[in-house]
Amino acid sequence: MSAIMWCATLVCISALVTCVSTAGILYPRESESREVKSLDGMWNFRLSLPDPLVGFKERWYMKDLSKTGPVLQMPVPSSYNDVMVDKKIRDHVGLVWYDKSFFAPESWRQQGYRVFLRFGSVNYAAQVWVNTHLVLNHEIGHLPFQRDITANLKFGRLNRITVAVDNVLLATTVPQGSLQNISTNTGPKTIQTYTFDFFNYAGIHRSVFLYTTPVVYIDDVDVTTNYTEDSVGLINYKIQYGGSLSSGETLNCSITVLNNENVREKFTVITDDEEGLSGIIKIENAKLWWPYLMHEEPGYMYTLEIRLSTTWNVDDVYRLPVGIRTIKWTNTAFLINNKPAYLRGFGRHEDSDIRGKGMDYALVTRDYDLIKWIGANSYRTSHYPYAEEIMDFADRHGIMIVDECPSVDTDNFSDKLLKKHTTSLAELIKRDKNRPSVIMWSIANEPRSHHKEADSYFKYVVEFVKSKDKTRPVTAALNKWYSIDRAGQHLDIIGFNRYNAWYTLPGHTEIIQSRIEDEAAKWHAKHNKPVFMTEYGADSYAGLHMSPSFVWSEEYQVELMSEHFKAFDTLRTKNFFIGEMIWNFADFKTEQTVTRVGGNKKGVFTRQREPKSSAYHLRKRYWALANQLD
Ligand code: GCB
């Protein structure tokens, strides 16, 4: 078997499995009818070496991984290729194996529970066995997947989950990558290459949960919100249930609304179906969800307490956080609750040392503290969906999210890629559709949108997104020149990335103002749509001071920002410019390249979240804008 074939084992396997399911992917939440058990912690771990396929050949999923040979202990969630100091693990291309034993209480069977196994994200492709049975196949990182595993469990006894993870990226994966064969002193070797600028962290990145539900259960909820001029909040809901009713069994769904202190709110429900599975909730004097600093109580969340009752089964209860707000957009503006919003934000990464992309509450808490300290109100989840736990923070703190799928540097525009690209969006929308913080869908970062094929490709992608959600605008972070780009025409809002005085004419900050003013105006003139800047910035090495300013010094980063601020201030008077997002919130790790010193250093915070001079500079601006505009 050629090196290319073995490396793409799981990606190829999962391509054979039709995995677009219509089932919901609600975040596991405990209730009187649901137990949630975390499987986070230390898992057995093993690289599939020296034969990349050895795990499959020897059927490692049939036994304890520790019985197959020497194993390591790997923390979940984390990126295996950041935690360990062994270079072989950091640079591993191909399959790795994890396993963990857990106890399934006998009481779960006695109570007739269904048991679901849910992964928040495994990067990039995963295959999962429970007690030797293959139960899940999932391709595309950064997105959750789950399955009812009741039939595969041994109740009252130990059970084993085995996970094979493949981090290989190919021309048809999202994001794309390629493999290259090189010769080395010890023989031929296959290495992974990419065009994107972040480290290809891999492994079980987010929490693994078991959760239980009754036999007939709340499978998905769709919510859209509105309000009337006399302050009546409207919540349109649609509930999908899973499981089947026995003959003669009936079903009924009832809703309670709780305010943000968990107290029952006064409301009325207009139900337009007999079973109560869909309807409109009216709340008098409703409190709206507002972005940070646009209101003294940003991020106001209600809770929809949904109770599904059936004749012969236990009731299922699920509590969904809901924020009431509207989103509108015109040719020149983006409005929240009918008020124009100006985005003061960041491009970001899920990234920190030791854990890589592993979800970490302490880090997320610090990041949101810093976002608020600096006076920002938004960010883009560049360049992939962020953890649901992180999105919860955005909802609660009133931070507006431009929610991006993992398509970076989109190239080749094949049907196969299009299918995966749209699958990533379908899964993202299904996951985040109810979040008030999500204000736009971003369908790509820096696609090769000057190619002829990009026209029909992005037309299709945008129409696909609209078929799933008409309530939010569609955007992308474009970097091809406005005159040759073919994607912008299909978007609702234009985002553009540009690195004047950094990649273009480094050192010449005097080019920035006129160029940015000119480019933004041209994007607007071409498409008659609102425009925002999705990336600009400069690397700075924290602690490097140079006077006069010089590239990589803190002074240069500040100077480059100031020139952009001048352009943004002019653009704001032009009435189509809706925001600025600096690249990047914090320094982050990239692949090894001579243009990066230990990674990308365009953060206004270091990777350890210490402020650079640029953070104080940005803080002054964002607070001034907030005081002026909010
Ligand atoms: C970009 C990319 C981003 C990079 C950034 C840079 O245009 O969208 O992923 O990290 O430039 O710093 O080069």
Side-chain angles (χ1 to χ4, degrees), residues 79-112:
S79 298
Y80 69 76
N81 47 359
D82 208 29
V83 177
M84 312 305 276
V85 289
D86 186 347
K87 200 167 159 182
K88 199 165 78 231
I89 301 179
R90 185 195 65 195
D91 298 338
H92 180 73
V93 179
L95 289 160
V96 302
W97 291 75
Y98 288 77
D99 89 0
K100 186 176 182 71
S101 294
F102 64 93
F103 197 75
E106 175 63 27
S107 59
W108 287 1
R109 189 179 43 176
Q110 283 163 1
Q111 292 175 69

Side-chain angles (χ1 to χ4, degrees), residues 330-334 492-494 524 528-532 576 578:
T330 67
N331 293 340
T332 53
F334 171 77
D492 299 309
I493 293 180
I494 307 284
H524 177 65
N528 194 24
K529 290 170 184 171
V531 175
F532 71 127
F576 63 82
I578 62 157

Side-chain angles (χ1 to χ4, degrees), residues 81 86-88 90-92 189 191-194 196-200 588-600:
N81 47 359
D86 186 347
K87 200 167 159 182
K88 199 165 78 231
R90 185 195 65 195
D91 298 338
H92 180 73
K189 187 176 171 187
I191 57 166
Q192 172 82 68
T193 58
Y194 333 87
F196 59 73
D197 183 40
F198 51 92
F199 195 77
N200 186 22
F588 59 91
K589 185 158 162 176
T590 61
E591 292 307 315
Q592 300 192 57
T593 136
V594 293
T595 57
R596 300 274 178 258
V597 188
N600 189 308

Side-chain angles (χ1 to χ4, degrees), residues 403-432:
D403 211 359
E404 190 156 282
C405 78
S407 180
V408 195
D409 302 344
T410 326
D411 205 351
N412 94 38
F413 306 108
S414 64
D415 287 350
K416 231 171 156 183
L417 183 70
L418 180 62
K419 177 106 189 27
K420 290 213 187 127
H421 191 161
T422 48
T423 300
S424 79
L425 280 155
E427 291 185 16
L428 173 62
I429 295 168
K430 185 177 278 182
R431 192 194 77 162
D432 287 350

